[in-house]
Coordinates of all heavy atoms in Angstrom, one line a residue:
M1 N 0.9 -1.2 0.0 CA 0.0 0.0 0.0 C 0.9 1.2 0.0 O 1.9 1.3 0.7 CB -1.0 0.0 1.2 CG -1.8 1.1 1.3 SD -3.0 1.1 2.6 CE -3.8 2.6 2.5
I2 N 0.5 2.2 -0.8 CA 1.2 3.5 -0.9 C 0.6 4.4 0.0 O -0.6 4.7 0.0 CB 1.2 4.0 -2.3 CG1 2.0 3.0 -3.3 CG2 2.0 5.3 -2.4 CD1 1.8 3.3 -4.7
F3 N 1.4 5.0 0.9 CA 0.9 6.1 1.8 C 0.9 7.4 1.2 O 2.1 7.8 0.7 CB 1.7 6.0 3.2 CG 1.3 4.8 4.0 CD1 2.2 3.7 3.9 CD2 0.2 5.0 4.8 CE1 1.8 2.6 4.7 CE2 0.0 3.8 5.6 CZ 0.7 2.6 5.4
S4 N 0.0 8.1 1.2 CA -0.1 9.4 0.6 C 0.0 10.5 1.7 O -0.3 10.3 2.9 CB -1.4 9.7 -0.1 OG -1.7 11.0 -0.4
K5 N 0.5 11.6 1.3 CA 0.6 12.8 2.3 C -0.7 13.6 2.2 O -0.7 14.6 2.9 CB 1.8 13.7 1.8 CG 3.2 13.0 2.2 CD 4.4 13.9 2.0 CE 5.6 13.3 2.5 NZ 6.8 14.2 2.2
K6 N -1.5 13.2 1.3 CA -2.8 14.0 1.3 C -3.6 13.7 2.8 O -3.6 12.7 3.3 CB -3.8 13.4 0.3 CG -3.4 14.0 -1.0 CD -4.5 13.5 -2.1 CE -4.3 14.0 -3.5 NZ -5.3 13.4 -4.4
K7 N -4.2 14.9 3.2 CA -4.9 14.8 4.4 C -6.3 14.4 4.1 O -7.0 14.7 3.1 CB -4.9 16.2 5.0 CG -3.6 16.6 5.6 CD -3.8 18.0 6.1 CE -2.3 18.5 6.6 NZ -2.4 19.9 7.1
V8 N -6.7 13.5 5.0 CA -8.0 13.0 4.8 C -9.0 13.9 5.8 O -8.8 14.1 7.0 CB -8.2 11.5 5.4 CG1 -9.6 11.0 5.4 CG2 -7.2 10.7 4.6
I9 N -10.1 14.3 5.0 CA -10.9 15.3 5.8 C -12.3 14.6 5.9 O -12.8 14.2 4.9 CB -11.0 16.6 5.1 CG1 -9.6 17.3 5.2 CG2 -12.1 17.5 5.7 CD1 -9.7 18.6 4.4
T10 N -12.8 14.5 7.1 CA -14.2 14.1 7.3 C -15.0 15.2 7.5 O -14.8 16.1 8.3 CB -14.1 13.1 8.5 OG1 -13.3 12.0 8.3 CG2 -15.6 12.5 8.7
A11 N -16.1 15.3 6.7 CA -17.0 16.3 6.9 C -18.1 16.0 7.8 O -18.6 14.9 7.8 CB -17.6 16.7 5.4
Y12 N -18.5 17.1 8.6 CA -19.6 16.9 9.5 C -20.7 17.9 9.2 O -20.4 19.1 8.8 CB -19.2 17.0 11.0 CG -18.3 15.9 11.4 CD1 -16.9 16.0 11.3 CD2 -18.9 14.7 11.9 CE1 -16.1 14.9 11.7 CE2 -18.1 13.7 12.3 CZ -16.7 13.8 12.2 OH -15.9 12.8 12.5
T13 N -21.9 17.6 9.7 CA -23.0 18.6 9.6 C -23.6 18.7 11.0 O -23.7 17.7 11.6 CB -24.1 18.1 8.6 OG1 -23.5 17.9 7.3 CG2 -25.3 19.0 8.6
V14 N -23.8 20.0 11.4 CA -24.4 20.3 12.6 C -25.8 20.9 12.4 O -26.0 21.8 11.7 CB -23.6 21.3 13.4 CG1 -24.3 21.6 14.8 CG2 -22.3 20.7 13.8
E15 N -26.8 20.0 12.9 CA -28.2 20.5 12.8 C -28.6 21.3 14.1 O -28.2 20.8 15.2 CB -29.1 19.3 12.6 CG -28.6 18.3 11.5 CD -29.4 17.0 11.5 OE1 -30.3 16.8 12.5 OE2 -29.3 16.2 10.5
Q16 N -29.4 22.3 14.0 CA -29.9 22.9 15.1 C -31.4 23.2 15.0 O -31.9 23.7 14.0 CB -29.1 24.3 15.3 CG -29.6 25.0 16.5 CD -28.8 26.2 16.9 OE1 -28.3 26.9 16.0 NE2 -28.7 26.5 18.2
C17 N -32.1 23.0 16.1 CA -33.6 23.2 16.1 C -33.7 24.7 16.4 O -33.2 25.3 17.3 CB -34.2 22.5 17.3 SG -35.9 22.9 17.5
M18 N -34.5 25.3 15.5 CA -34.8 26.8 15.6 C -35.6 27.1 16.8 O -35.7 28.2 17.2 CB -35.5 27.2 14.4 CG -34.7 27.1 13.2 SD -33.2 28.2 13.0 CE -32.0 27.1 13.2
K19 N -36.3 26.1 17.3 CA -37.3 26.4 18.5 C -36.5 26.2 19.8 O -36.6 27.1 20.7 CB -38.5 25.5 18.3 CG -39.7 26.0 19.2 CD -40.9 25.2 18.8 CE -42.0 25.5 19.7 NZ -43.3 24.8 19.3
C20 N -36.0 25.0 20.1 CA -35.4 24.8 21.4 C -33.9 24.8 21.4 O -33.3 24.7 22.4 CB -35.9 23.4 21.8 SG -35.2 21.9 21.0
G21 N -33.3 25.0 20.2 CA -31.9 25.1 20.1 C -31.0 23.8 20.2 O -29.8 24.0 20.3
M22 N -31.6 22.6 20.2 CA -31.0 21.4 20.3 C -30.0 21.2 19.2 O -30.4 21.3 18.0 CB -31.9 20.3 20.4 CG -31.2 18.9 20.7 SD -32.4 17.6 21.0 CE -33.0 17.4 19.3
L23 N -28.8 20.9 19.4 CA -27.8 20.7 18.4 C -27.6 19.2 18.2 O -27.5 18.4 19.1 CB -26.4 21.4 18.8 CG -26.4 22.8 18.8 CD1 -25.2 23.3 19.5 CD2 -26.5 23.3 17.4
T24 N -27.5 18.8 16.9 CA -27.1 17.4 16.6 C -25.9 17.4 15.6 O -26.0 18.1 14.5 CB -28.3 16.7 16.0 OG1 -29.5 16.8 16.9 CG2 -28.0 15.2 15.8
K25 N -24.9 16.6 15.9 CA -23.8 16.5 15.1 C -23.8 15.2 14.3 O -24.0 14.1 15.0 CB -22.5 16.7 15.9 CG -21.2 16.5 14.9 CD -20.0 16.7 15.8 CE -18.8 16.3 15.1 NZ -17.6 16.2 15.9
R26 N -23.7 15.2 13.0 CA -23.8 13.9 12.3 C -22.8 14.0 11.1 O -22.3 15.1 10.8 CB -25.2 13.6 11.8 CG -25.8 14.6 10.8 CD -27.0 14.1 10.3 NE -27.8 15.2 9.5 CZ -27.4 15.5 8.2 NH1 -26.3 15.0 7.6 NH2 -28.1 16.5 7.6
G27 N -22.6 13.0 10.5 CA -21.8 12.9 9.3 C -22.4 13.7 8.2 O -23.6 13.7 8.0
F28 N -21.6 14.4 7.4 CA -22.0 15.1 6.2 C -22.6 14.2 5.2 O -21.9 13.1 4.9 CB -20.9 15.9 5.6 CG -21.3 16.7 4.4 CD1 -22.0 17.8 4.5 CD2 -21.0 16.1 3.1 CE1 -22.3 18.5 3.3 CE2 -21.3 16.8 2.0 CZ -21.9 18.0 2.0
V29 N -23.7 14.4 4.6 CA -24.3 13.7 3.5 C -24.4 14.5 2.3 O -24.7 15.7 2.4 CB -25.7 13.1 4.0 CG1 -26.3 12.4 2.9 CG2 -25.7 12.3 5.2
K30 N -24.1 14.0 1.3 CA -24.1 14.6 0.0 C -25.5 15.3 -0.2 O -26.4 14.6 -0.1 CB -23.7 13.7 -1.2 CG -23.4 14.5 -2.5 CD -23.0 13.5 -3.6 CE -22.8 14.2 -4.9 NZ -22.6 13.3 -6.0
G31 N -25.5 16.6 -0.5 CA -26.8 17.4 -0.7 C -27.2 18.2 0.5 O -28.0 18.9 0.3
D32 N -26.4 18.0 1.6 CA -26.6 19.0 2.7 C -26.2 20.4 2.2 O -25.2 20.6 1.7 CB -25.8 18.5 3.9 CG -26.3 17.3 4.6 OD1 -27.4 16.9 4.4 OD2 -25.6 16.8 5.5
V33 N -27.2 21.2 2.5 CA -26.9 22.8 2.2 C -27.1 23.5 3.5 O -28.0 23.4 4.2 CB -27.9 23.1 1.1 CG1 -27.6 24.7 0.8 CG2 -27.8 22.3 -0.1
L34 N -26.1 24.4 3.6 CA -26.2 25.3 4.8 C -27.6 26.1 4.9 O -28.0 26.6 4.0 CB -25.0 26.3 4.8 CG -24.6 27.0 6.1 CD1 -24.2 26.0 7.2 CD2 -23.5 27.9 5.8
F35 N -28.0 26.0 6.2 CA -29.3 26.7 6.5 C -30.5 26.1 5.8 O -31.6 26.7 5.8 CB -29.2 28.2 6.2 CG -28.1 28.9 6.8 CD1 -27.2 29.7 6.1 CD2 -27.9 28.8 8.2 CE1 -26.2 30.4 6.7 CE2 -26.8 29.3 8.9 CZ -26.0 30.2 8.2
A36 N -30.3 25.0 5.2 CA -31.5 24.2 4.8 C -32.4 23.8 5.8 O -31.9 23.1 6.8 CB -31.1 23.1 3.8
D37 N -33.7 23.8 5.7 CA -34.6 23.1 6.6 C -34.6 21.5 6.3 O -34.9 21.3 5.1 CB -36.1 23.6 6.4 CG -36.3 24.9 7.0 OD1 -35.4 25.4 7.6 OD2 -37.4 25.6 6.8
I38 N -34.4 20.7 7.2 CA -34.2 19.4 6.9 C -35.1 18.4 7.6 O -35.5 17.4 7.0 CB -32.8 18.8 7.1 CG1 -32.3 19.4 8.6 CG2 -31.8 19.4 6.1 CD1 -31.0 18.6 9.0
S39 N -35.6 18.8 8.7 CA -36.5 17.9 9.4 C -37.2 18.5 10.6 O -37.0 19.8 10.8 CB -35.7 16.7 9.9 OG -34.6 17.1 10.9
D40 N -38.0 17.7 11.3 CA -38.6 18.3 12.6 C -37.9 17.9 13.8 O -37.4 16.7 13.8 CB -40.1 17.8 12.6 CG -40.9 18.4 11.5 OD1 -40.6 19.6 11.1 OD2 -42.0 17.7 11.1
C41 N -37.9 18.7 14.7 CA -37.2 18.3 16.0 C -37.8 17.2 16.6 O -39.0 17.2 16.8 CB -37.1 19.6 16.9 SG -36.4 19.2 18.5
G42 N -37.0 16.2 17.1 CA -37.6 15.0 17.9 C -38.1 15.4 19.2 O -39.0 14.7 19.7
A43 N -37.7 16.5 19.8 CA -38.1 16.9 21.1 C -39.3 17.8 21.0 O -40.3 17.7 21.9 CB -36.9 17.5 21.9
C44 N -39.4 18.9 20.2 CA -40.4 19.9 20.3 C -41.1 20.1 18.9 O -42.0 21.0 18.9 CB -39.8 21.2 20.7 SG -38.8 22.0 19.4
K45 N -40.8 19.3 18.0 CA -41.4 19.4 16.6 C -41.2 20.7 15.9 O -41.9 21.1 15.0 CB -42.9 19.2 16.7 CG -43.3 17.9 17.4 CD -42.8 16.7 16.6 CE -43.3 15.4 17.4 NZ -42.7 14.2 16.7
G46 N -40.1 21.4 16.4 CA -39.7 22.7 15.7 C -39.0 22.4 14.5 O -38.7 21.2 14.1
R47 N -38.7 23.4 13.8 CA -37.9 23.3 12.5 C -36.4 23.0 12.8 O -35.8 23.9 13.6 CB -38.0 24.5 11.7 CG -39.3 24.5 10.8 CD -39.2 25.8 9.9 NE -40.1 25.7 8.8 CZ -40.3 26.6 7.9 NH1 -39.5 27.6 7.9 NH2 -41.2 26.5 6.9
V48 N -35.9 22.1 12.2 CA -34.5 21.8 12.4 C -33.7 22.3 11.1 O -34.1 21.8 10.0 CB -34.2 20.3 12.6 CG1 -32.7 20.1 12.7 CG2 -34.9 19.9 14.0
R49 N -32.7 23.0 11.2 CA -31.9 23.5 10.1 C -30.5 23.1 10.2 O -30.1 22.8 11.4 CB -31.9 25.1 10.1 CG -33.2 25.6 9.5 CD -33.1 27.1 9.4 NE -34.4 27.6 8.7 CZ -34.6 28.9 8.6 NH1 -33.6 29.8 8.8 NH2 -35.7 29.4 8.0
I50 N -29.8 23.1 9.2 CA -28.4 22.9 9.2 C -27.7 24.3 9.6 O -27.8 25.2 8.9 CB -27.8 22.4 7.8 CG1 -28.4 21.1 7.4 CG2 -26.3 22.4 7.9 CD1 -28.1 20.5 6.1
A51 N -27.1 24.1 10.8 CA -26.4 25.4 11.3 C -25.0 25.5 10.9 O -24.4 26.6 10.9 CB -26.6 25.3 12.8
K52 N -24.3 24.4 10.6 CA -22.9 24.5 10.3 C -22.4 23.2 9.6 O -22.9 22.0 9.9 CB -22.2 24.5 11.7 CG -20.7 24.9 11.6 CD -20.1 25.0 12.9 CE -18.6 25.3 13.0 NZ -18.1 25.3 14.3
I53 N -21.6 23.5 8.7 CA -20.9 22.3 8.0 C -19.4 22.5 8.0 O -19.0 23.6 7.7 CB -21.3 22.3 6.5 CG1 -22.9 21.9 6.4 CG2 -20.5 21.1 5.7 CD1 -23.4 22.0 4.9
F54 N -18.7 21.5 8.5 CA -17.3 21.7 8.7 C -16.6 20.4 8.5 O -17.1 19.4 8.5 CB -17.0 22.2 10.1 CG -17.3 21.4 11.2 CD1 -16.3 20.6 11.9 CD2 -18.6 21.2 11.7 CE1 -16.6 19.7 12.9 CE2 -18.9 20.3 12.8 CZ -17.9 19.6 13.4
G55 N -15.3 20.5 8.2 CA -14.5 19.3 8.2 C -13.3 19.2 9.2 O -12.8 20.0 9.7
E56 N -13.1 17.9 9.6 CA -12.1 17.6 10.5 C -10.9 16.9 9.8 O -11.3 16.0 9.0 CB -12.6 16.9 11.7 CG -13.4 17.6 12.7 CD -13.8 16.8 13.8 OE1 -13.6 15.6 13.8 OE2 -14.5 17.5 14.7
T57 N -9.7 17.3 10.0 CA -8.6 16.6 9.4 C -8.2 15.5 10.2 O -7.8 15.6 11.5 CB -7.5 17.6 9.3 OG1 -8.0 18.7 8.4 CG2 -6.4 17.0 8.4
L58 N -8.1 14.3 9.8 CA -7.6 13.1 10.3 C -6.1 13.1 10.1 O -5.6 13.1 8.9 CB -8.2 11.9 9.9 CG -9.8 11.9 9.9 CD1 -10.4 10.6 9.4 CD2 -10.2 12.1 11.5
T59 N -5.3 12.9 11.1 CA -3.8 12.8 10.9 C -3.2 11.4 11.2 O -3.9 10.7 12.0 CB -3.0 13.8 11.8 OG1 -3.5 13.7 13.0 CG2 -3.4 15.2 11.3
Ligands
ZN101 ZN1 -36.6 21.4 19.3

């Protein structure tokens, strides 16, 4: 196996409920768009939006 010097980046999506503020971090899924309404909150049925998309570098 050839080891590359390329950094491996894992992307994450942070979802936030607009009503109760609950944050959920999950793996980024293709098609995720910042500030998109994606689902209903499991706790309060409020709107859940994508609050942040970021990548972490694995070394
Ligand atoms: Zn909520």
Side-chain angles (χ1 to χ4, degrees):
M1 180 173 175
I2 298 169
F3 288 94
S4 165
K5 285 185 177 177
K6 276 185 180 175
K7 289 177 180 175
V8 178
I9 294 175
T10 304
Y12 291 96
T13 298
V14 177
E15 307 171 351
Q16 183 172 29
C17 174
M18 295 291 105
K19 196 171 175 184
C20 71
M22 188 174 73
L23 290 168
T24 305
K25 180 182 167 186
R26 61 169 172 78
F28 176 81
V29 177
K30 193 178 178 184
D32 282 352
V33 179
L34 198 58
F35 304 130
D37 286 354
I38 46 164
S39 64
D40 291 336
C41 178
C44 74
K45 306 297 180 189
R47 276 185 167 182
V48 175
R49 282 187 180 177
I50 294 176
K52 192 177 178 184
I53 295 174
F54 65 100
E56 285 184 356
T57 305
L58 305 176
T59 52

